[in-house]
Amino acid sequence: MTNSVLPHARNYIDGQWTDSTTHTETLNPATGKVLGTFADAGADEARAAIAAARTAFDTTGWARDRNLRAKALFEMADHLQARREEFISLLARENGKILGDATFEVDLTVPKLRYYAALALSDHGGAAEVRPGLYSMTLREPAGVAGVIAPWNSPLVLAVRSFAPALAAGCTVVLKLPGQTGLINGLISELVAQTQSLPAGVMNVFTESGNDGAPLLISSPDVDVVSYTGSTAVGRAIMANAAPTLKPLSLELGGKSPMIVFDDADLDAAVPVLTKAITTFTGQFCMTGSRILVQRGVADELRRRMVAALEAVKVGPGDDPDSEMGAMIDERNAERVEGVVADAAAYATVLVRGRRDGAFLHPSLVEVDDLNAPIVQHEVFGPVATFEVFDTEAEAITRANATEYGLAASIWTRDVDLPLRVMREIKAGTVWTNTWAIVHDMFEEGGFKQSGLGRLNGLRGLEEFQETKHFVHAAARG
């Protein structure tokens, strides 16, 4: 960023700071005030970034030097840790997150960089003497240039979740970040620039508010693999556009996470978590607990408690320590979500209707029985949850699996065996018992059904950016 009255964030390509002909303002969603400007990139910057990443992969030792890769990722983690408070503050102001949510995001990110730094030093495969004098082995090699497209709802952690394993695997990276978080993107670029262990061109970052540069990451034959986090609709478009090059894809897409509350659940423990599952990141979270499925025996009590809890949520600016939920990313999205709740009133019972003030939107709770209702079937991406009553375990499973999504689910019960049965039947990539949103770097996450392809985190997250080569060696005869 340059020194001026208001900060200006630039792109970082081939080891150099680069500006764009278009400068776009970025706003504080809570106040509508301008926070600064960013270089709004497009096709030219994307082509330059792809070319730099291609050259760095083909001409430097990055792909073969695992010690250098580990050093760079450890170094980047140290820089992020040193700038922790700066990131938290800017996430609260530009992204609208409350300070607790911003802290949650940053503190998820540092250990992720360190995990993949350590994983860069390890390897796995198989080797055998198949018969006398004939040897086979499998080797892992970096896929090449990785295109990473990260969303605005958690730009730091979701960018790192993809580019850290890509770098650890030995890929070079082109990272496309969204215009809604232009200044945060500038800080991410500064982390890259500060990391002196990274050779020029290994990590390239550009921001665009339009859609001219990102499609080139999908169509370019110089990009070997793409990792995208975002909506299911865009994920489908990416798959179609990647078909001509048969480009491998890692897609984490939409979610409609059922929170299944059985009659024997501890409601004192459940209600605060169910509330946070709706309000964390203002509901702009792929794992938002957007469907509360409750067994009939405790439905009345849980309904009463959830109405009281959601009505009591204090909505305010992200950087206000007293705020319990911040603004949505912009007023347009707040209006959209408000409209979803208004439309649902025609076919469902609105238990809590969140009032809107600009980009601030209070949480809503909508009771509905029809599984085909739009508010059940479609991802809202805001602080809205359905309240759905079931009678039997089998009905709970049917309801949980009734949408096209399968990213995550949560089961609430005191029964030890019940969650083991239900978990097996739920079509979701992550299932929690008596908790929510717990993610561990060493364990994979991802979606079933229309919630995505591939996996992030863990060893599989690294393998998404690798190719497997089978090498067969016949010993020379004496």
Side-chain angles (χ1 to χ4, degrees):
M1 295 182 189
T2 58
N3 293 320
S4 60
V5 176
L6 289 176
H8 176 67
R10 294 175 293 171
N11 303 304
Y12 190 74
I13 297 173
D14 201 16
Q16 301 291 325
W17 290 106
T18 65
D19 212 336
S20 299
T21 56
T22 300
H23 291 182
T24 300
E25 293 179 341
T26 180
L27 307 177
N28 182 331
T31 65
K33 293 182 179 179
V34 176
L35 293 172
T37 59
F38 64 90
D40 203 343
D44 290 343
E45 290 85 353
R47 291 189 189 97
I50 291 168
R54 182 81 264 164
T55 298
F57 185 81
D58 292 342
T59 64
T60 73
W62 177 259
R64 302 288 293 274
D65 192 341
R66 64 180 65 246
N67 289 297
L68 177 61
R69 302 199 299 265
K71 180 181 179 182
L73 286 165
F74 277 127
E75 183 184 347
M76 191 180 297
D78 291 343
H79 290 313
L80 177 55
Q81 184 65 50
R83 303 183 70 172
R84 176 178 179 270
E85 296 303 322
E86 189 177 358
F87 271 91
I88 290 170
S89 175
L90 191 52
L91 282 166
R93 290 181 292 118
E94 187 180 37
N95 206 212
K97 287 183 171 70
I98 61 170
L99 291 170
D101 289 354
T103 300
F104 176 58
E105 178 172 350
V106 175
D107 288 349
L108 280 174
T109 307
V110 175
K112 199 173 298 294
L113 286 165
R114 291 177 175 152
Y115 171 76
Y116 279 110
L119 209 56
L121 295 172
S122 66
D123 210 342
H124 69 285
E129 185 180 23
V130 179
R131 63 174 182 264
L134 186 65
Y135 302 87
S136 272
M137 67 181 70
T138 55
L139 301 171
R140 301 281 182 177
E141 296 185 356
V145 174
V148 174
I149 304 174
W152 50 258
N153 59 317
S154 293
L156 175 62
V157 69
L158 297 184
V160 168
R161 186 180 63 171
S162 290
F163 79 65
L167 293 175
C171 292
T172 56
V173 173
V174 178
L175 171 63
K176 181 267 176 188
L177 291 169
Q180 293 92 332
T181 56
L183 297 185
I184 296 167
N185 306 347
L187 286 187
I188 294 172
S189 296
E190 287 183 12
L191 287 182
V192 175
Q194 281 183 275
T195 305
Q196 296 182 3
S197 303
L198 281 172
V202 166
M203 180 82 190
N204 308 274
V205 187
F206 72 91
T207 296
E208 74 167 345
S209 61
N211 192 40
D212 295 323
L216 295 177
L217 299 183
I218 314 305
S219 63
S220 173
D222 284 327
V223 177
D224 301 287
V225 59
V226 168
S227 178
Y228 167 79
T229 301
S231 72
T232 296
V234 174
R236 292 177 183 137
I238 287 173
M239 285 194 71
N241 292 332
T245 57
L246 293 179
K247 199 182 307 295
L249 301 174
S250 172
L251 307 174
E252 191 187 70
L253 307 176
K256 197 74 182 174
S257 301
M259 312 288 283
I260 309 169
V261 183
F262 286 94
D263 279 345
D264 65 342
D266 181 351
L267 296 188
D268 290 339
V271 169
V273 178
L274 296 177
T275 303
K276 287 296 291 181
I278 299 167
T279 62
T280 295
F281 303 164
T282 320
Q284 300 165 127
F285 187 19
C286 55
M287 291 180 172
T288 291
S290 56
R291 299 179 64 205
I292 299 175
L293 313 186
V294 55
Q295 200 161 16
R296 194 169 301 276
V298 292
D300 289 345
E301 177 66 12
L302 183 61
R303 183 187 298 109
R304 181 187 66 80
R305 292 196 189 196
M306 287 305 302
V307 167
L310 292 174
E311 288 180 339
V313 172
K314 183 175 180 181
V315 178
D319 54 1
D320 181 346
D322 293 329
S323 296
E324 296 174 334
M325 189 175 81
M328 295 196 67
I329 192 65
D330 53 38
E331 187 170 353
R332 179 179 59 83
N333 272 283
E335 289 176 346
R336 174 187 60 79
V337 175
E338 182 184 38
V340 169
V341 177
D343 291 345
Y347 57 79
T349 301
V350 179
L351 301 174
V352 180
R353 181 175 296 204
R355 64 188 183 278
R356 185 180 66 83
D357 180 9
F360 291 110
L361 181 66
H362 290 249
S364 295
L365 185 66
V366 179
E367 186 161 359
V368 61
D369 183 61
D370 183 4
L371 280 175
N372 294 315
I375 201 166
V376 172
Q377 291 296 323
H378 301 155
E379 185 178 36
V380 176
F381 219 63
V384 178
T386 59
F387 191 90
E388 307 170 42
V389 179
F390 67 87
D391 288 299
T392 66
E393 180 180 320
E395 185 184 353
I397 293 167
T398 297
R399 279 194 168 272
N401 290 332
T403 74
E404 67 180 0
Y405 300 106
L407 191 59
S410 179
I411 302 166
W412 291 82
T413 178
R414 289 184 172 94
D415 189 315
V416 174
D417 296 323
L418 185 149
L420 297 176
R421 295 194 304 270
V422 173
M423 174 271 295
R424 285 291 188 182
E425 301 300 324
I426 291 177
K427 306 304 181 185
T430 298
V431 181
W432 301 282
T433 300
N434 297 325
T435 190
W436 168 79
I438 303 297
V439 178
H440 299 293
D441 294 330
M442 68 288 293
F443 288 99
E444 287 79 0
E445 61 172 324
F448 285 23
K449 301 191 288 185
Q450 299 296 300
S451 285
L453 296 173
R455 288 298 180 267
L456 294 157
N457 290 340
L459 184 59
R460 175 71 183 277
L462 183 78
E463 292 173 347
E464 296 289 339
F465 299 97
Q466 292 178 319
E467 295 281 10
T468 300
K469 178 177 288 183
H470 177 208
F471 176 59
V472 182
H473 175 67
R477 295 181 180 179

